[in-house]
Amino acid sequence: MTPSINPVTEAKELLRQRRSEDALAVIEPAATAAGASHSEQHVYASVLKKLGRIDDAIEVRRRAVRDFPASAVAEHNLAADLGDVESWEESEAACRRAFEKGGAEPETWQVFGRALMNQKRLDEAEARCVKRSRAGRPLATPTATWPS
């Protein structure tokens, strides 16, 4: 790593180039240091996930939630990764914490709906979608899609 380049920026570029192992070598020292930024932890977790190390990525997400307790984004990221490993109840709980912290992004609602649907709570998922729609708040951004 070039000392003058931000490790987050460099790791993202390496990921773009499909050089995940190189990205890991760049971001890991920064992300595991005391006082690591939320961005460093996020990119680190993303690299770990890209390398198939989802359990390690989830631990990094849990650390971000602890290190940044007011962050709805940290909760959303944890919820999304927990959903990826089909830990639906934990994913739902992380979404609820994100909402409590002021997060109401369409992507978090998608993760939440996915968690509810996979717990066979379809009526609740539908009711929440209808309520949100009637309130004039979209469930998806123009580029997002409802998860299958």
Side-chain angles (χ1 to χ4, degrees), residues 3 10 21 33-34 39 48 55 82 106 127 138-139 145:
E10 187 171 356
E21 292 289 345
S39 293
L48 291 169
D55 291 337
L82 287 166
L139 286 169
T145 58

Side-chain angles (χ1 to χ4, degrees), residues 62 75-76 78-79 82 87-101 108 111-112 115-116 119 121:
R62 291 184 195 283
E75 293 285 6
H76 164 83
L78 175 61
L82 287 166
S87 184
W88 306 121
E89 290 174 1
E90 282 187 284
S91 179
E92 174 193 352
C95 285
R96 288 183 187 278
R97 290 190 303 270
F99 297 146
E100 290 169 7
K101 294 175 183 183
T108 305
V111 172
F112 185 65
L116 292 176
Q119 292 177 73
R121 292 164 53 199

Side-chain angles (χ1 to χ4, degrees), residues 49-65:
K49 191 173 173 183
K50 185 70 96 176
L51 290 168
R53 295 173 52 189
I54 187 68
D55 291 337
D56 293 333
I58 289 172
E59 284 309 309
V60 173
R61 300 290 191 204
R62 291 184 195 283
R63 177 181 165 208
V65 166

Side-chain angles (χ1 to χ4, degrees), residues 90-147:
E90 282 187 284
S91 179
E92 174 193 352
C95 285
R96 288 183 187 278
R97 290 190 303 270
F99 297 146
E100 290 169 7
K101 294 175 183 183
E105 297 301 316
E107 295 81 3
T108 305
W109 282 97
Q110 289 177 334
V111 172
F112 185 65
R114 180 178 158 204
L116 292 176
M117 287 188 300
N118 282 287
Q119 292 177 73
K120 309 297 185 233
R121 292 164 53 199
L122 303 178
D123 289 341
E124 184 178 351
E126 180 183 24
R128 289 185 178 275
C129 290
V130 169
K131 182 179 178 182
R132 186 161 172 84
S133 177
R134 286 187 180 147
R137 297 185 308 246
L139 286 169
T141 58
T143 58
T145 58
W146 189 261

